[in-house]
Amino acid sequence: MERKEWPLWEVFVRSRNGLDHKHCGSVHAPDAKLALQVARDVYTRRQEGVSLWVVQADHIVASDPDAKPELFDPAEDKIYRHPTFYQLPDEVNHM
């Protein structure tokens, strides 16, 4: 009998409200519902998280590291995108 591998799911956990989800690992599961359950059991055993995301690994599209100049260098000549381009009022002291 042929053994079929379950798809790989990437797991992201948000540890507290207001924080970003962070990639914490991967699980194998046949569907998204079971992937969430397995991820909960594996990565939040001690109640470390308030939210979980699971994404099937073959649905993730990533940039090519060799394409960095084409993707990111054009932004370097746009100084208005940097916070140093703007003057903050004196009342704004928490930035």
Side-chain angles (χ1 to χ4, degrees):
M1 183 172 174
E2 181 180 327
R3 180 174 175 230
K4 183 172 168 45
E5 283 285 323
W6 284 350
L8 182 67
W9 297 81
E10 298 302 328
V11 180
F12 300 83
V13 175
R14 184 170 65 184
S15 59
R16 290 193 316 249
N17 285 328
L19 296 179
D20 296 337
H21 283 79
K22 303 284 186 201
H23 182 259
C24 62
S26 306
V27 296
H28 286 276
D31 58 38
K33 185 177 178 180
L34 189 56
L36 273 173
Q37 291 174 352
V38 172
R40 180 201 61 209
D41 293 345
V42 172
Y43 294 106
T44 62
R45 288 180 291 207
R46 293 177 216 89
Q47 300 175 341
E48 299 93 341
V50 297
S51 176
L52 282 172
W53 288 350
V54 292
V55 180
Q56 201 165 340
D58 61 358
H59 291 169
I60 296 174
V61 178
S63 62
D64 179 4
D66 294 333
K68 184 180 177 222
E70 295 86 32
L71 285 173
F72 300 108
D73 286 350
E76 287 183 357
D77 63 348
K78 297 178 176 88
I79 61 168
Y80 56 85
R81 292 186 177 181
H82 300 285
T84 57
F85 183 76
Y86 301 98
Q87 294 292 330
L88 291 177
D90 291 335
E91 306 83 57
V92 180
N93 57 10
H94 65 278
M95 291 186 121

